[in-house]
Amino acid sequence: MAAPGVKPISYEAFRQAAEKSGRPYDFEKIDKAYALADDAHKGQVRRSGEAYVSHPVAVAMLLLDLGLDTDTLVAALLHDVVEDTAYTLEQVASGFGKDVAALVDGVTKLGRIQFSSMEEQQAENLRKMLLAMSKDVRVMLIKLCDRLHNMRTASAWPEQKQRDKALETMEVYAPIAHRLGIAGIKEELEDLSLHILDPIGYDEIIELLGQKAKAQEYVESIAAAIQERLAENDVHDPEIRSRVKSVYSIYRKMFVQNRSFEEIYDKYALRIILDTIPECYTALGVIHDMYHPLPNRFKDYISTPKPNMYQSLHTTVISHEGVAFEIQIRTHEMEQLAEYGVAAHWKYKAGVQGQDKLEERLAWVRQLLESQRDSEDSGDLLRHIKSELLPEQVYVFTPKGDVIDLPSGATVIDFAYAIHSAVGNRMVGAKVNGRIVPIDHKVVTGEVIDVLTGSVDKGPSRDWLNIVTTSEARSKIRNWFKKERKEENITEGKTALDKELRRSLVSIPAGDYDELMETVARRQRMNSAEEMYGAIGYGGITIARLMPKIKEEYAKLVKAGDPAETFAIPPKPKQQKASEGVIVEGLGNVLIKFAKCCNPLPGDDIVGFITRGYGVSIHKRDCHNASEANTSPRWVEARWAEGVQESFTSTLEITALDRDRLFVDVSSLLADMRVPVYSLSARRTSDGKAAMNAMIGIRNTEHLNNVIARLRRIKDVVDITRS
Ligand code: MN
């Protein structure tokens, strides 16, 4: 957890730390860089009141911690000189060499990229950023440290700037730190951003963690017990660290995955760092022997590394006192890679393996750029980068046992195209673990997937473009249509366009139709209207992007023809899109989360609380936390959308006279009613009754009442309450 503020570091302190590192730094060059930066920024003051030069020194310090080389430290000291002072890039080049100048130039250019601008431009900017990174990843490392120091001192900024930077950090920089494998920076960036975006949610978790401070002590006692048993099994000198999960990762699990604080098993974790891989597996055996492992929580990332090259064994065990905690087991080298990511390359400079890993880590950037090169729709790139930067990956298997990794949310179609475009193009269905599944089945880690293929001629279906989630599959499907179905694309595209024209009440006189479309096509830099229809057909261009241009041309046409007939595009009905089944008054498609304090269900009377930049949290109107709902402007009216079909979780406390088979009766009734059961537990109370706790998935209040009524009919059930 990062403190919101930091003390400035003096250049002397930085220099001493660099000397202490024992790395062969060129101190003459570093001193010269500091002297230049100090002179260049003379008289400039940060908002927080310190001399400006304290910022580049702090950034250089962060890069020193990552173990980077002389040129990177020099470039860090000079990173704001060209942008903010009278010094030029040529002066930097002549004083410090071409490499340093290229790094400073890269960082300066990245700094000019604004991610809050229009989507189209944003995509182009992201592309530039990835390109810079694929050339020399040190540019990105400097930028990440620059952003980290700025976020640490963000409280000096005006509120709006804090929010903008926090959102950008969350959406762009933290995911990049993750893909580069630098866990420490990623987590700190996320926690600092969350503190700005949802201060209430942040404080809530800090408080919950504080109450569990004793558990931390307890985990340390477990660590001692494990150390003793490892020694008995000839595993010596383990480095054991206990740690608390980052605030943001708990936040995600609570509000995005909708779990309760108690259900998060890995809030507290032990990390065991050993010398060799065999020792890791021995340690795993020893721990599973000491404690009961939770099913489905064991992950072997040593034999199957994550795409960012992360390697470790993960398991979650229950202590004798019933406390669940996560244990990570890895070697020292894996630890270095996990903490420092690509930067570990500079730490392991002597070894060749560092270079290979660096190449592998950057391969995805190049692949992404490659697969997007032919796409006409630049908005596409942004969506795909965002979806591919999302940290969650799933690992599934071919029938032969090969591992395919896909972004979470990927479907069996994505899987087929990940194997080969020929497999995707011939796909007619899929079996998961031997059973036929629908074509939009989302794959889950561990599934064995068998793609069923038909004759070569069939080809993909157009609907698949709406189902697939990876850019690889999407561009392969598009390519197929582009090549194989030219005529069909033109017809499809024209039909779809005409339909949209009718829908938006644009009726172009038949005599003007062709000419108008030719004009629009030329404005899209296409050779003919036919080419444009074709592009619509295979999905290379979207109608939504085309419509404004068609309407513009149409408006010109109508004006020229009859000045009396004023043209008006019918206003778009102000539609409020339901998000998560809730409509928030006055806000469009916003991020919704359901408050944990009162777990609102469809049918309940609800209100929304606008968090700072992080969506709206929905409470029941009678929740004690919503008592200010009528007075504070941060509370807004909210209601359930018609026909909400999503499932919500609800927890029931069932009291019954204790008897045999009670547990079975309850669980089989829930199974008969096809109610998903997330947890079910029973205990005997002091007065001889049985108290059961059932966490179930339900559709709405009516459904819940129905379930409760059926449960009440079970023999010996005394009372049921919704908690
Ligand atoms: Mn800076």
Side-chain angles (χ1 to χ4, degrees), residues 376 518 521-528 531-532 535 541:
E376 285 91 351
E518 291 292 338
R522 275 196 304 277
R523 282 184 60 187
Q524 294 297 305
R525 290 190 206 86
M526 293 194 188
N527 293 320
S528 65
E531 189 183 329
M532 181 172 79
I541 185 166

Side-chain angles (χ1 to χ4, degrees), residues 46 52 55-56 59 76 79-80 84 107 143 146-147 149-150:
R46 302 199 90 211
Y52 192 89
H55 165 66
V59 176
H79 82 267
D80 280 332
D84 296 342
V107 177
K143 188 66 209 170
D146 178 41
R147 176 51 61 99
H149 183 248
N150 284 332

Side-chain angles (χ1 to χ4, degrees), residues 327-548:
I327 297 184
Q328 303 172 345
I329 307 167
R330 58 179 78 149
T331 65
H332 288 283
E333 194 196 334
M334 292 169 192
E335 167 71 5
Q336 287 281 338
L337 271 168
E339 287 297 305
Y340 299 107
V342 277
H345 161 62
W346 283 274
K347 289 209 160 183
Y348 277 101
K349 231 178 173 169
V352 194
Q353 120 268 59
Q355 187 62 48
D356 290 349
K357 294 221 159 125
L358 178 67
E359 283 303 311
E360 276 180 69
R361 274 168 194 271
L362 289 176
W364 71 274
V365 178
R366 299 200 184 100
Q367 255 173 31
L368 199 60
L369 290 168
E370 189 77 8
S371 75
Q372 290 301 320
R373 214 180 36 202
D374 306 325
S375 172
E376 285 91 351
D377 186 354
S378 63
D380 248 20
L381 178 66
L382 180 72
R383 280 193 294 282
H384 294 145
I385 289 171
K386 279 190 175 165
S387 76
E388 305 216 355
L389 279 174
L390 278 179
E392 283 80 11
Q393 291 281 325
V394 291
Y395 301 89
V396 288
F397 299 92
T398 67
K400 281 182 188 157
D402 293 332
V403 181
I404 305 280
D405 69 85
L406 291 164
S408 83
T411 62
V412 284
I413 306 177
D414 292 294
F415 174 85
Y417 279 99
I419 296 177
H420 197 278
S421 49
V423 176
N425 291 336
R426 292 175 55 194
M427 178 176 190
V428 291
K431 276 185 183 176
V432 166
N433 300 336
R435 298 231 309 258
I436 300 264
V437 294
I439 201 101
D440 60 354
H441 173 82
K442 289 187 168 49
V443 301
V444 175
T445 291
E447 285 178 344
V448 178
I449 297 165
D450 192 359
V451 176
L452 309 172
T453 52
S455 72
V456 186
D457 304 327
K458 195 193 142 272
S461 148
R462 271 174 214 285
D463 298 340
W464 292 6
L465 286 169
N466 302 321
I467 297 172
V468 296
T469 59
T470 57
S471 50
E472 188 185 7
R474 192 167 284 130
S475 70
K476 282 178 178 171
I477 295 171
R478 272 189 198 148
N479 274 336
W480 190 87
F481 280 114
K482 205 171 172 177
K483 274 194 220 128
E484 307 279 324
R485 293 289 155 95
K486 200 166 169 243
E487 289 307 311
E488 198 187 307
N489 287 333
I490 294 172
T491 324
E492 279 270 346
K494 188 163 181 312
T495 314
L497 182 60
D498 287 342
K499 206 168 132 197
E500 178 60 28
L501 289 173
R502 274 196 304 279
R503 211 186 63 79
S504 357
L505 306 176
V506 177
S507 61
I508 303 167
D512 298 318
Y513 186 98
D514 289 343
E515 198 190 319
L516 189 145
M517 289 303 168
E518 291 292 338
T519 312
V520 175
R522 275 196 304 277
R523 282 184 60 187
Q524 294 297 305
R525 290 190 206 86
M526 293 194 188
N527 293 320
S528 65
E530 253 192 13
E531 189 183 329
M532 181 172 79
Y533 302 142
I536 298 171
Y538 68 79
I541 185 166
T542 62
I543 292 182
R545 277 165 52 86
L546 224 46
M547 280 310 285

Side-chain angles (χ1 to χ4, degrees), residues 109-151:
K109 283 183 179 146
L110 279 183
R112 291 191 188 134
I113 297 176
Q114 291 289 326
F115 290 96
S116 46
S117 48
M118 297 291 292
E119 188 181 83
E120 198 171 329
Q121 201 191 331
Q122 200 175 349
E124 186 49 30
N125 287 336
L126 259 175
R127 216 175 59 82
K128 282 188 203 142
M129 186 152 168
L130 292 167
L131 264 175
M133 183 157 91
S134 66
K135 271 190 224 139
D136 189 340
V137 75
R138 292 178 299 176
V139 169
M140 185 55 74
L141 295 174
I142 298 172
K143 188 66 209 170
L144 284 172
C145 291
D146 178 41
R147 176 51 61 99
L148 178 56
H149 183 248
N150 284 332
M151 290 301 291

Side-chain angles (χ1 to χ4, degrees), residues 25 162 190 196 226 229 248 328 354 385 456 471 656:
Y25 284 124
Q162 287 188 32
E190 286 172 345
I196 292 169
I226 291 176
R229 280 286 283 278
Y248 180 66
Q328 303 172 345
I385 289 171
V456 186
S471 50

